[in-house]
Amino acid sequence: MGWAIALHGGAGNIPLSLPPERREPREEALRHCLKIGVAALKAKRPPLDVVELVVRELENNPHFNAGRGSVLTTKGTVEMEACIMDGNKKCGAVSGLSTVVNAISLARLVMEKTPHIYLAFDGAEAFAREQGVETVDAGHFITQENVERLKQVIEANRVQIDYTQPMQKDVLEETPTNGDSQIGTVGCVAVDSHGNLATATSTGGFVNKMVGRIGDTPIIGAGTYANSLCAVSATGKGEAIIRATIARDVAALMEYKGLSLKEAAAYVIEECVPRGNAGLVAVSATGEVTMQFNTTGMFRACATEDGYTEIGIWPSPMQN
Amino acid sequence: MGGWAIAVHGGAGVDPNLPPQRQEEAKQLLTCCLNLGISALRSSLPAIDVVELVVRELEIDPLFNSGRGSALTAKGTAEMEASIMDGPRRRCGAVSGLTTVKNPISLARLVMEKSPHSYLAFSGAEEFARQQGVELVDNEYFITEENLGMLKLAKEANAIVFDYRIPAVGLESCSAGAGAMESVMQMNGLPISIYAPETVGCVVVDSQGRCAAATSTGGLMNKMSGRIGDSPLIGAGTYACDLCAVSCTGEGEAIIRATLARDVAAVMEYKGLGLQEAVNYVMKERLDEGKAGMIAVSRNGEVGYGFNTTGMFRGCATEDGFVEISFDNN
């Protein structure tokens, strides 16, 4: 038993042909975030602090679909959501943020400073101002890449996971210039050597989503969940993750069927969501870690106290 | 087993000193809605249609906390939310932050069937409502004198009030109030007064074994604008799959943390428990200190319910003739 941490920058149809100039900054970001997360755990910071600080870092990085770099709604605006939960099942969630620099930190404030779990839209923005969190002009979050991406998708007239490839319903060739939406929801899970667990997930959602659309990220049990057994953060097609209550089911399988963390995660990813729809990272109270996905790839990184480290995008040779 | 089954609820947590007139009104409404559901089932309407039409009926009646008669936000407005789930393919739809949509549950259904998403909220949801041409009304339509009065009391008591009719000042004089004083409930660690929320819901299994669930609410009295509770969250307040359908009511935050509705199904699926066993298990093991209740049906035509509050407004019926309308503890 020891500490463990895993983080992700989104699962989806990340093409193997991803050019280096798009791959490297993201790998570097994963490496950096893993490093700061590990340092925090080594410094005995509580997992709740660790997951928040890692996700803040990912939110601030424009290469991922959270905070700055969030994908755009159909109106060209940014609506961010996030969720944080600890092993005692304390949790906080926010949706519909447009000016809050770090959605995950606002989610934590909802958890700690209100009698509620979930605040959204105007009410959440008002709360942010009351709390004095950092807010900026909505334009801050919008990147040229995402403006382009939205345009392409609108032209192609389809909603997609913020990854390049159009959904299978059409047989058209992949739009060549489309090889750009290799970004996704971000998340982090961590456990310390005492078995304290925490998870945090943050996202801008779907490219071209309807204004007001809420995905799996802020829904406890869908994209985010933690209890005394494990902490889970999921990514992928929100609607599928909601219906399969992915994050909760990993924990439920461990509890009700006695599966191990890896077995539970594998079962959920393989049996409970259609192929190409989801990925997750998870840690258990006993210091195990797993990262699984049924998509082409998932930006991910993990480390455990006994020295294991992994940073990857596509399935590694060891992965089943 | 087999055959259809239906259950409806109008909230968990009932004052034992509830005025008789109130009891009568509640019973009548539950009976009416139950009968509506039963006729629909007898005419072979699918489960998903039945839960929607029953909840619509509950929404337009000002008695319970949904649609008209919704609890009010701190600003004195109604902000409604709802969700619906169809067991066979676990399709789902949810809405939050509605202020002009006469029947939130129907908009939730439209989200499920007519949008590429599962959950729409606030102005985006209202815009979708306009596009879909659903019936819209002014926010005033949802606001009742009674609830305005309750809001005032809640503000005076500076507490979040579960939508219930007990005035805060009379707290000492009623037994539920006395219970409340003793076990001052904490929500997310902050003290609040206990009052019974009257979220509404309906679960149905039709004669083909298809399950569906629907839940609708105005939320907590004096809530912060923008606060979302358990009712629109799939897995928390509402859930349906091949095995069963569940609708919960009570302390929203506790229900969310417990992923209460999903857990009933998970326990049936992963532990092989029967419906009522699963309900009992989840009520006992999952709620920690939370106060809540639920109704559930299984694909085998069983109906079940559970609550750890003082009573729950409920009605249930099965094809073989069983009917129960009640609100006290057994």
Side-chain angles (χ1 to χ4, degrees), chain A residues 75 89 115-120 123 210-214 239 243 245 248-249 255-257, chain B residues 90 117-121 124 127 160 188 225-228 253 257 259 262-263 267 270 286:
Chain A
K75 299 241 162 97
K89 294 194 285 182
H116 303 313
I117 284 178
Y118 192 4
L119 288 181
M210 290 171 74
V211 168
R213 176 261 190 187
I214 292 176
E239 284 70 16
R243 129 179 350 129
T245 54
R248 173 62 186 123
D249 269 41
E255 183 172 356
Y256 299 140
K257 279 193 101 123
Chain B
R90 289 176 301 162
H117 302 315
S118 295
Y119 190 5
L120 288 179
E127 191 177 320
I160 291 171
N188 285 19
S225 175
R227 177 265 188 181
I228 292 177
E253 280 70 11
R257 275 202 289 281
T259 55
R262 168 61 184 135
D263 266 48
V267 151
Y270 300 143
R286 284 293 151 258

mmCIF file of all heavy atoms in Angstrom, chain A residues 75 89 115-120 123 210-214 239 243 245 248-249 255-257, chain B residues 90 117-121 124 127 160 188 225-228 253 257 259 262-263 267 270 286:
data_model
loop_
_atom_site.group_PDB
_atom_site.id
_atom_site.type_symbol
_atom_site.label_atom_id
_atom_site.label_comp_id
_atom_site.label_asym_id
_atom_site.label_seq_id
_atom_site.Cartn_x
_atom_site.Cartn_y
_atom_site.Cartn_z
ATOM 1 N N LYS A 75 -23.098 28.200 -30.153
ATOM 2 C CA LYS A 75 -23.113 29.663 -30.285
ATOM 3 C C LYS A 75 -21.706 30.261 -30.228
ATOM 4 O O LYS A 75 -21.558 31.482 -30.194
ATOM 5 C CB LYS A 75 -23.959 30.297 -29.162
ATOM 6 C CG LYS A 75 -25.408 29.863 -29.165
ATOM 7 C CD LYS A 75 -26.349 31.028 -29.362
ATOM 8 C CE LYS A 75 -27.709 30.559 -29.805
ATOM 9 N NZ LYS A 75 -28.659 30.441 -28.684
ATOM 10 N N LYS A 89 -17.284 10.720 0.319
ATOM 11 C CA LYS A 89 -18.431 11.071 -0.493
ATOM 12 C C LYS A 89 -18.872 12.519 -0.337
ATOM 13 O O LYS A 89 -19.999 12.873 -0.667
ATOM 14 C CB LYS A 89 -19.606 10.107 -0.277
ATOM 15 C CG LYS A 89 -19.263 8.702 -0.784
ATOM 16 C CD LYS A 89 -20.463 7.804 -0.909
ATOM 17 C CE LYS A 89 -20.935 7.333 0.428
ATOM 18 N NZ LYS A 89 -22.083 6.421 0.353
ATOM 19 N N PRO A 115 -24.423 24.541 1.456
ATOM 20 C CA PRO A 115 -25.119 23.317 1.879
ATOM 21 C C PRO A 115 -25.505 22.451 0.682
ATOM 22 O O PRO A 115 -26.188 21.451 0.838
ATOM 23 C CB PRO A 115 -26.374 23.851 2.565
ATOM 24 C CG PRO A 115 -26.590 25.202 1.999
ATOM 25 C CD PRO A 115 -25.298 25.722 1.465
ATOM 26 N N HIS A 116 -25.061 22.852 -0.496
ATOM 27 C CA HIS A 116 -25.457 22.146 -1.707
ATOM 28 C C HIS A 116 -24.300 21.371 -2.301
ATOM 29 O O HIS A 116 -23.162 21.475 -1.851
ATOM 30 C CB HIS A 116 -25.988 23.150 -2.735
ATOM 31 C CG HIS A 116 -27.141 23.949 -2.206
ATOM 32 N ND1 HIS A 116 -28.208 23.376 -1.547
ATOM 33 C CD2 HIS A 116 -27.381 25.281 -2.227
ATOM 34 C CE1 HIS A 116 -29.059 24.328 -1.193
ATOM 35 N NE2 HIS A 116 -28.587 25.481 -1.588
ATOM 36 N N ILE A 117 -24.626 20.608 -3.345
ATOM 37 C CA ILE A 117 -23.582 19.878 -4.053
ATOM 38 C C ILE A 117 -23.336 20.484 -5.422
ATOM 39 O O ILE A 117 -22.224 20.461 -5.926
ATOM 40 C CB ILE A 117 -23.988 18.392 -4.208
ATOM 41 C CG1 ILE A 117 -23.811 17.672 -2.885
ATOM 42 C CG2 ILE A 117 -23.174 17.695 -5.301
ATOM 43 C CD1 ILE A 117 -24.216 16.215 -2.900
ATOM 44 N N TYR A 118 -24.366 21.051 -6.037
ATOM 45 C CA TYR A 118 -24.283 21.357 -7.455
ATOM 46 C C TYR A 118 -24.904 22.714 -7.734
ATOM 47 O O TYR A 118 -26.076 22.933 -7.442
ATOM 48 C CB TYR A 118 -25.026 20.237 -8.189
ATOM 49 C CG TYR A 118 -24.869 20.160 -9.683
ATOM 50 C CD1 TYR A 118 -24.029 20.992 -10.410
ATOM 51 C CD2 TYR A 118 -25.589 19.195 -10.378
ATOM 52 C CE1 TYR A 118 -23.906 20.875 -11.786
ATOM 53 C CE2 TYR A 118 -25.470 19.062 -11.759
ATOM 54 C CZ TYR A 118 -24.629 19.903 -12.457
ATOM 55 O OH TYR A 118 -24.515 19.778 -13.813
ATOM 56 N N LEU A 119 -24.110 23.603 -8.302
ATOM 57 C CA LEU A 119 -24.609 24.917 -8.708
ATOM 58 C C LEU A 119 -24.313 25.108 -10.182
ATOM 59 O O LEU A 119 -23.262 24.682 -10.676
ATOM 60 C CB LEU A 119 -23.901 26.036 -7.940
ATOM 61 C CG LEU A 119 -24.251 26.217 -6.467
ATOM 62 C CD1 LEU A 119 -23.472 27.386 -5.889
ATOM 63 C CD2 LEU A 119 -25.741 26.456 -6.281
ATOM 64 N N ALA A 120 -25.215 25.791 -10.876
ATOM 65 C CA ALA A 120 -25.038 25.913 -12.318
ATOM 66 C C ALA A 120 -25.419 27.277 -12.864
ATOM 67 O O ALA A 120 -26.231 27.999 -12.287
ATOM 68 C CB ALA A 120 -25.855 24.827 -13.012
ATOM 69 N N GLY A 123 -26.425 31.151 -11.326
ATOM 70 C CA GLY A 123 -26.274 30.959 -9.886
ATOM 71 C C GLY A 123 -24.846 30.602 -9.515
ATOM 72 O O GLY A 123 -24.297 31.073 -8.519
ATOM 73 N N MET A 210 -25.335 22.014 -27.688
ATOM 74 C CA MET A 210 -26.393 22.994 -27.468
ATOM 75 C C MET A 210 -26.044 23.795 -26.222
ATOM 76 O O MET A 210 -25.486 23.261 -25.268
ATOM 77 C CB MET A 210 -27.724 22.284 -27.215
ATOM 78 C CG MET A 210 -28.286 21.586 -28.443
ATOM 79 S SD MET A 210 -29.719 20.563 -28.028
ATOM 80 C CE MET A 210 -30.967 21.809 -27.756
ATOM 81 N N VAL A 211 -26.366 25.060 -26.253
ATOM 82 C CA VAL A 211 -26.207 25.894 -25.059
ATOM 83 C C VAL A 211 -27.035 25.255 -23.948
ATOM 84 O O VAL A 211 -28.167 24.847 -24.175
ATOM 85 C CB VAL A 211 -26.698 27.327 -25.345
ATOM 86 C CG1 VAL A 211 -26.816 28.128 -24.058
ATOM 87 C CG2 VAL A 211 -25.759 28.017 -26.312
ATOM 88 N N GLY A 212 -26.449 25.132 -22.773
ATOM 89 C CA GLY A 212 -27.192 24.534 -21.668
ATOM 90 C C GLY A 212 -27.021 23.036 -21.548
ATOM 91 O O GLY A 212 -27.561 22.413 -20.626
ATOM 92 N N ARG A 213 -26.281 22.436 -22.453
ATOM 93 C CA ARG A 213 -26.101 20.987 -22.381
ATOM 94 C C ARG A 213 -25.148 20.644 -21.234
ATOM 95 O O ARG A 213 -24.073 21.224 -21.100
ATOM 96 C CB ARG A 213 -25.530 20.441 -23.698
ATOM 97 C CG ARG A 213 -25.227 18.920 -23.670
ATOM 98 C CD ARG A 213 -23.768 18.642 -23.412
ATOM 99 N NE ARG A 213 -23.388 17.240 -23.594
ATOM 100 C CZ ARG A 213 -22.203 16.742 -23.295
ATOM 101 N NH1 ARG A 213 -21.262 17.509 -22.809
ATOM 102 N NH2 ARG A 213 -21.937 15.454 -23.508
ATOM 103 N N ILE A 214 -25.571 19.705 -20.429
ATOM 104 C CA ILE A 214 -24.736 19.218 -19.339
ATOM 105 C C ILE A 214 -24.323 17.797 -19.680
ATOM 106 O O ILE A 214 -25.140 16.991 -20.135
ATOM 107 C CB ILE A 214 -25.499 19.268 -17.995
ATOM 108 C CG1 ILE A 214 -25.734 20.729 -17.591
ATOM 109 C CG2 ILE A 214 -24.749 18.509 -16.899
ATOM 110 C CD1 ILE A 214 -26.557 20.911 -16.327
ATOM 111 N N GLU A 239 -23.174 11.294 -22.985
ATOM 112 C CA GLU A 239 -24.493 10.668 -22.900
ATOM 113 C C GLU A 239 -24.373 9.175 -22.568
ATOM 114 O O GLU A 239 -25.154 8.640 -21.791
ATOM 115 C CB GLU A 239 -25.271 10.917 -24.195
ATOM 116 C CG GLU A 239 -25.842 12.344 -24.324
ATOM 117 C CD GLU A 239 -24.809 13.462 -24.534
ATOM 118 O OE1 GLU A 239 -23.651 13.144 -24.897
ATOM 119 O OE2 GLU A 239 -25.170 14.641 -24.350
ATOM 120 N N ARG A 243 -25.664 7.232 -18.953
ATOM 121 C CA ARG A 243 -26.609 6.115 -18.943
ATOM 122 C C ARG A 243 -25.983 4.889 -18.288
ATOM 123 O O ARG A 243 -26.681 4.086 -17.696
ATOM 124 C CB ARG A 243 -27.104 5.909 -20.372
ATOM 125 C CG ARG A 243 -27.028 4.576 -20.919
ATOM 126 C CD ARG A 243 -27.550 4.424 -22.346
ATOM 127 N NE ARG A 243 -28.240 5.501 -22.929
ATOM 128 C CZ ARG A 243 -27.933 6.001 -24.133
ATOM 129 N NH1 ARG A 243 -26.931 5.496 -24.820
ATOM 130 N NH2 ARG A 243 -28.646 6.966 -24.631
ATOM 131 N N THR A 245 -23.710 5.005 -15.869
ATOM 132 C CA THR A 245 -23.210 5.398 -14.536
ATOM 133 C C THR A 245 -21.843 4.778 -14.299
ATOM 134 O O THR A 245 -21.611 4.056 -13.319
ATOM 135 C CB THR A 245 -24.185 4.976 -13.412
ATOM 136 O OG1 THR A 245 -24.466 3.572 -13.490
ATOM 137 C CG2 THR A 245 -25.469 5.739 -13.486
ATOM 138 N N ARG A 248 -19.648 5.228 -10.884
ATOM 139 C CA ARG A 248 -20.268 4.539 -9.752
ATOM 140 C C ARG A 248 -20.149 3.040 -9.913
ATOM 141 O O ARG A 248 -19.920 2.301 -8.964
ATOM 142 C CB ARG A 248 -21.752 4.932 -9.645
ATOM 143 C CG ARG A 248 -22.532 4.126 -8.591
ATOM 144 C CD ARG A 248 -21.995 4.348 -7.200
ATOM 145 N NE ARG A 248 -22.622 3.502 -6.205
ATOM 146 C CZ ARG A 248 -21.963 2.656 -5.403
ATOM 147 N NH1 ARG A 248 -20.636 2.526 -5.512
ATOM 148 N NH2 ARG A 248 -22.610 1.936 -4.498
ATOM 149 N N ASP A 249 -20.315 2.566 -11.148
ATOM 150 C CA ASP A 249 -20.320 1.135 -11.367
ATOM 151 C C ASP A 249 -18.978 0.490 -11.086
ATOM 152 O O ASP A 249 -18.922 -0.664 -10.653
ATOM 153 C CB ASP A 249 -20.808 0.808 -12.781
ATOM 154 C CG ASP A 249 -22.311 0.609 -12.800
ATOM 155 O OD1 ASP A 249 -23.029 1.375 -12.128
ATOM 156 O OD2 ASP A 249 -22.785 -0.332 -13.448
ATOM 157 N N GLU A 255 -17.497 -3.402 -4.737
ATOM 158 C CA GLU A 255 -18.196 -3.625 -3.477
ATOM 159 C C GLU A 255 -19.142 -4.810 -3.523
ATOM 160 O O GLU A 255 -19.163 -5.649 -2.633
ATOM 161 C CB GLU A 255 -18.985 -2.373 -3.128
ATOM 162 C CG GLU A 255 -19.692 -2.483 -1.809
ATOM 163 C CD GLU A 255 -20.320 -1.171 -1.380
ATOM 164 O OE1 GLU A 255 -20.130 -0.157 -2.100
ATOM 165 O OE2 GLU A 255 -20.988 -1.170 -0.344
ATOM 166 N N TYR A 256 -19.952 -4.875 -4.574
ATOM 167 C CA TYR A 256 -21.011 -5.880 -4.588
ATOM 168 C C TYR A 256 -20.598 -7.205 -5.191
ATOM 169 O O TYR A 256 -21.211 -8.230 -4.943
ATOM 170 C CB TYR A 256 -22.226 -5.343 -5.340
ATOM 171 C CG TYR A 256 -22.825 -4.097 -4.729
ATOM 172 C CD1 TYR A 256 -23.283 -3.056 -5.532
ATOM 173 C CD2 TYR A 256 -22.952 -3.957 -3.353
ATOM 174 C CE1 TYR A 256 -23.847 -1.910 -4.987
ATOM 175 C CE2 TYR A 256 -23.503 -2.809 -2.799
ATOM 176 C CZ TYR A 256 -23.955 -1.796 -3.621
ATOM 177 O OH TYR A 256 -24.503 -0.664 -3.076
ATOM 178 N N LYS A 257 -19.574 -7.163 -6.049
ATOM 179 C CA LYS A 257 -19.148 -8.426 -6.650
ATOM 180 C C LYS A 257 -17.720 -8.790 -6.261
ATOM 181 O O LYS A 257 -17.204 -9.785 -6.744
ATOM 182 C CB LYS A 257 -19.236 -8.337 -8.179
ATOM 183 C CG LYS A 257 -20.635 -8.554 -8.711
ATOM 184 C CD LYS A 257 -20.592 -8.766 -10.203
ATOM 185 C CE LYS A 257 -20.719 -10.230 -10.537
ATOM 186 N NZ LYS A 257 -21.856 -10.473 -11.437
ATOM 187 N N ARG B 90 -31.986 2.191 -21.580
ATOM 188 C CA ARG B 90 -31.484 3.198 -20.634
ATOM 189 C C ARG B 90 -31.332 4.563 -21.291
ATOM 190 O O ARG B 90 -30.370 5.293 -21.065
ATOM 191 C CB ARG B 90 -30.154 2.761 -20.004
ATOM 192 C CG ARG B 90 -30.323 1.610 -19.023
ATOM 193 C CD ARG B 90 -29.005 1.120 -18.491
ATOM 194 N NE ARG B 90 -28.146 0.682 -19.574
ATOM 195 C CZ ARG B 90 -26.827 0.520 -19.488
ATOM 196 N NH1 ARG B 90 -26.208 0.763 -18.354
ATOM 197 N NH2 ARG B 90 -26.125 0.125 -20.517
ATOM 198 N N HIS B 117 -28.581 15.208 -26.830
ATOM 199 C CA HIS B 117 -28.007 15.225 -25.483
ATOM 200 C C HIS B 117 -28.913 14.541 -24.483
ATOM 201 O O HIS B 117 -30.001 14.098 -24.826
ATOM 202 C CB HIS B 117 -27.756 16.681 -25.068
ATOM 203 C CG HIS B 117 -26.838 17.409 -26.003
ATOM 204 N ND1 HIS B 117 -25.673 16.870 -26.481
ATOM 205 C CD2 HIS B 117 -26.939 18.633 -26.568
ATOM 206 C CE1 HIS B 117 -25.090 17.738 -27.284
ATOM 207 N NE2 HIS B 117 -25.833 18.811 -27.355
ATOM 208 N N SER B 118 -28.435 14.463 -23.229
ATOM 209 C CA SER B 118 -29.241 13.857 -22.168
ATOM 210 C C SER B 118 -29.739 14.864 -21.157
ATOM 211 O O SER B 118 -30.612 14.553 -20.368
ATOM 212 C CB SER B 118 -28.412 12.834 -21.391
ATOM 213 O OG SER B 118 -28.055 11.772 -22.203
ATOM 214 N N TYR B 119 -29.142 16.036 -21.133
ATOM 215 C CA TYR B 119 -29.437 16.951 -20.025
ATOM 216 C C TYR B 119 -29.242 18.381 -20.504
ATOM 217 O O TYR B 119 -28.163 18.750 -20.967
ATOM 218 C CB TYR B 119 -28.471 16.623 -18.879
ATOM 219 C CG TYR B 119 -28.734 17.265 -17.540
ATOM 220 C CD1 TYR B 119 -29.847 18.038 -17.269
ATOM 221 C CD2 TYR B 119 -27.822 17.063 -16.507
ATOM 222 C CE1 TYR B 119 -30.054 18.602 -16.016
ATOM 223 C CE2 TYR B 119 -28.024 17.613 -15.249
ATOM 224 C CZ TYR B 119 -29.139 18.380 -15.003
ATOM 225 O OH TYR B 119 -29.330 18.931 -13.758
ATOM 226 N N LEU B 120 -30.291 19.172 -20.406
ATOM 227 C CA LEU B 120 -30.222 20.584 -20.771
ATOM 228 C C LEU B 120 -30.686 21.423 -19.594
ATOM 229 O O LEU B 120 -31.605 21.031 -18.866
ATOM 230 C CB LEU B 120 -31.133 20.884 -21.965
ATOM 231 C CG LEU B 120 -30.707 20.362 -23.333
ATOM 232 C CD1 LEU B 120 -31.746 20.750 -24.376
ATOM 233 C CD2 LEU B 120 -29.346 20.903 -23.736
ATOM 234 N N ALA B 121 -30.062 22.596 -19.432
ATOM 235 C CA ALA B 121 -30.404 23.391 -18.256
ATOM 236 C C ALA B 121 -30.470 24.881 -18.537
ATOM 237 O O ALA B 121 -29.855 25.388 -19.474
ATOM 238 C CB ALA B 121 -29.381 23.118 -17.155
ATOM 239 N N GLY B 124 -30.499 27.508 -21.964
ATOM 240 C CA GLY B 124 -30.423 26.563 -23.081
ATOM 241 C C GLY B 124 -31.636 25.647 -23.117
ATOM 242 O O GLY B 124 -32.185 25.344 -24.179
ATOM 243 N N GLU B 127 -34.639 27.656 -24.220
ATOM 244 C CA GLU B 127 -34.606 27.895 -25.663
ATOM 245 C C GLU B 127 -35.075 26.651 -26.409
ATOM 246 O O GLU B 127 -35.843 26.742 -27.376
ATOM 247 C CB GLU B 127 -33.186 28.254 -26.079
ATOM 248 C CG GLU B 127 -33.108 28.779 -27.495
ATOM 249 C CD GLU B 127 -31.697 29.202 -27.854
ATOM 250 O OE1 GLU B 127 -31.020 29.795 -26.989
ATOM 251 O OE2 GLU B 127 -31.293 28.929 -29.003
ATOM 252 N N ILE B 160 -32.562 26.404 5.079
ATOM 253 C CA ILE B 160 -33.161 25.825 3.885
ATOM 254 C C ILE B 160 -34.301 24.954 4.347
ATOM 255 O O ILE B 160 -34.136 24.139 5.222
ATOM 256 C CB ILE B 160 -32.149 24.962 3.139
ATOM 257 C CG1 ILE B 160 -31.082 25.871 2.559
ATOM 258 C CG2 ILE B 160 -32.826 24.180 2.040
ATOM 259 C CD1 ILE B 160 -29.941 25.110 1.993
ATOM 260 N N ASN B 188 -24.192 18.601 3.823
ATOM 261 C CA ASN B 188 -22.828 19.011 3.508
ATOM 262 C C ASN B 188 -22.170 19.661 4.708
ATOM 263 O O ASN B 188 -21.414 20.611 4.574
ATOM 264 C CB ASN B 188 -22.809 19.987 2.331
ATOM 265 C CG ASN B 188 -23.058 19.252 1.025
ATOM 266 O OD1 ASN B 188 -23.571 18.141 1.037
ATOM 267 N ND2 ASN B 188 -22.695 19.865 -0.064
ATOM 268 N N SER B 225 -30.347 30.246 -6.205
ATOM 269 C CA SER B 225 -30.675 30.105 -7.616
ATOM 270 C C SER B 225 -29.519 29.365 -8.272
ATOM 271 O O SER B 225 -28.362 29.649 -7.991
ATOM 272 C CB SER B 225 -30.847 31.491 -8.243
ATOM 273 O OG SER B 225 -31.049 31.363 -9.628
ATOM 274 N N GLY B 226 -29.812 28.408 -9.112
ATOM 275 C CA GLY B 226 -28.742 27.652 -9.743
ATOM 276 C C GLY B 226 -28.431 26.345 -9.033
ATOM 277 O O GLY B 226 -27.643 25.538 -9.519
ATOM 278 N N ARG B 227 -29.036 26.133 -7.879
ATOM 279 C CA ARG B 227 -28.792 24.887 -7.167
ATOM 280 C C ARG B 227 -29.529 23.751 -7.856
ATOM 281 O O ARG B 227 -30.718 23.836 -8.158
ATOM 282 C CB ARG B 227 -29.253 24.991 -5.721
ATOM 283 C CG ARG B 227 -29.089 23.678 -4.892
ATOM 284 C CD ARG B 227 -30.349 22.857 -4.856
ATOM 285 N NE ARG B 227 -30.318 21.717 -3.938
ATOM 286 C CZ ARG B 227 -31.306 20.855 -3.765
ATOM 287 N NH1 ARG B 227 -32.417 20.998 -4.457
ATOM 288 N NH2 ARG B 227 -31.204 19.859 -2.909
ATOM 289 N N ILE B 228 -28.787 22.685 -8.117
ATOM 290 C CA ILE B 228 -29.378 21.497 -8.722
ATOM 291 C C ILE B 228 -29.397 20.394 -7.674
ATOM 292 O O ILE B 228 -28.406 20.173 -6.974
ATOM 293 C CB ILE B 228 -28.561 21.084 -9.971
ATOM 294 C CG1 ILE B 228 -28.741 22.142 -11.064
ATOM 295 C CG2 ILE B 228 -28.989 19.707 -10.475
ATOM 296 C CD1 ILE B 228 -27.942 21.898 -12.332
ATOM 297 N N GLU B 253 -29.027 16.233 -1.452
ATOM 298 C CA GLU B 253 -27.583 16.049 -1.411
ATOM 299 C C GLU B 253 -27.222 14.633 -0.954
ATOM 300 O O GLU B 253 -26.316 14.010 -1.495
ATOM 301 C CB GLU B 253 -26.940 17.126 -0.534
ATOM 302 C CG GLU B 253 -26.764 18.493 -1.235
ATOM 303 C CD GLU B 253 -28.049 19.288 -1.522
ATOM 304 O OE1 GLU B 253 -29.112 18.896 -1.005
ATOM 305 O OE2 GLU B 253 -27.992 20.263 -2.291
ATOM 306 N N ARG B 257 -25.088 11.789 -3.164
ATOM 307 C CA ARG B 257 -23.888 11.113 -2.650
ATOM 308 C C ARG B 257 -24.074 9.607 -2.666
ATOM 309 O O ARG B 257 -23.130 8.853 -2.882
ATOM 310 C CB ARG B 257 -23.591 11.555 -1.223
ATOM 311 C CG ARG B 257 -22.803 12.815 -1.117
ATOM 312 C CD ARG B 257 -22.112 12.866 0.226
ATOM 313 N NE ARG B 257 -23.084 13.079 1.279
ATOM 314 C CZ ARG B 257 -23.609 14.265 1.580
ATOM 315 N NH1 ARG B 257 -23.241 15.334 0.933
ATOM 316 N NH2 ARG B 257 -24.499 14.351 2.533
ATOM 317 N N THR B 259 -25.898 7.921 -4.747
ATOM 318 C CA THR B 259 -26.349 7.455 -6.078
ATOM 319 C C THR B 259 -27.480 6.446 -5.849
ATOM 320 O O THR B 259 -27.444 5.308 -6.314
ATOM 321 C CB THR B 259 -25.207 6.807 -6.898
ATOM 322 O OG1 THR B 259 -24.599 5.756 -6.158
ATOM 323 C CG2 THR B 259 -24.174 7.822 -7.284
ATOM 324 N N ARG B 262 -29.558 4.410 -8.699
ATOM 325 C CA ARG B 262 -28.703 3.453 -9.414
ATOM 326 C C ARG B 262 -28.350 2.280 -8.510
ATOM 327 O O ARG B 262 -28.285 1.136 -8.943
ATOM 328 C CB ARG B 262 -27.425 4.140 -9.907
ATOM 329 C CG ARG B 262 -26.319 3.172 -10.411
ATOM 330 C CD ARG B 262 -26.793 2.355 -11.595
ATOM 331 N NE ARG B 262 -25.833 1.362 -12.054
ATOM 332 C CZ ARG B 262 -26.155 0.098 -12.353
ATOM 333 N NH1 ARG B 262 -27.402 -0.332 -12.219
ATOM 334 N NH2 ARG B 262 -25.222 -0.731 -12.796
ATOM 335 N N ASP B 263 -28.146 2.559 -7.246
ATOM 336 C CA ASP B 263 -27.716 1.502 -6.351
ATOM 337 C C ASP B 263 -28.754 0.412 -6.169
ATOM 338 O O ASP B 263 -28.387 -0.745 -5.972
ATOM 339 C CB ASP B 263 -27.268 2.085 -5.009
ATOM 340 C CG ASP B 263 -25.766 2.325 -5.004
ATOM 341 O OD1 ASP B 263 -25.260 2.916 -5.978
ATOM 342 O OD2 ASP B 263 -25.089 1.889 -4.063
ATOM 343 N N VAL B 267 -27.492 -3.298 -6.946
ATOM 344 C CA VAL B 267 -27.557 -4.347 -5.942
ATOM 345 C C VAL B 267 -28.371 -5.544 -6.461
ATOM 346 O O VAL B 267 -28.052 -6.702 -6.201
ATOM 347 C CB VAL B 267 -28.109 -3.729 -4.640
ATOM 348 C CG1 VAL B 267 -28.845 -4.714 -3.808
ATOM 349 C CG2 VAL B 267 -26.988 -3.088 -3.866
ATOM 350 N N TYR B 270 -25.793 -6.896 -9.318
ATOM 351 C CA TYR B 270 -24.499 -7.422 -8.901
ATOM 352 C C TYR B 270 -24.550 -8.313 -7.662
ATOM 353 O O TYR B 270 -23.632 -9.076 -7.406
ATOM 354 C CB TYR B 270 -23.513 -6.281 -8.672
ATOM 355 C CG TYR B 270 -23.254 -5.421 -9.896
ATOM 356 C CD1 TYR B 270 -23.075 -4.049 -9.785
ATOM 357 C CD2 TYR B 270 -23.180 -5.982 -11.172
ATOM 358 C CE1 TYR B 270 -22.821 -3.254 -10.893
ATOM 359 C CE2 TYR B 270 -22.936 -5.196 -12.295
ATOM 360 C CZ TYR B 270 -22.751 -3.827 -12.145
ATOM 361 O OH TYR B 270 -22.511 -3.042 -13.244
ATOM 362 N N ARG B 286 -26.886 2.812 2.378
ATOM 363 C CA ARG B 286 -26.328 3.838 1.502
ATOM 364 C C ARG B 286 -26.559 5.262 1.941
ATOM 365 O O ARG B 286 -25.939 6.182 1.443
ATOM 366 C CB ARG B 286 -26.904 3.715 0.087
ATOM 367 C CG ARG B 286 -26.328 2.595 -0.704
ATOM 368 C CD ARG B 286 -24.875 2.814 -1.024
ATOM 369 N NE ARG B 286 -24.206 1.551 -1.145
ATOM 370 C CZ ARG B 286 -23.426 1.016 -0.199
ATOM 371 N NH1 ARG B 286 -23.171 1.657 0.900
ATOM 372 N NH2 ARG B 286 -22.905 -0.158 -0.380
#
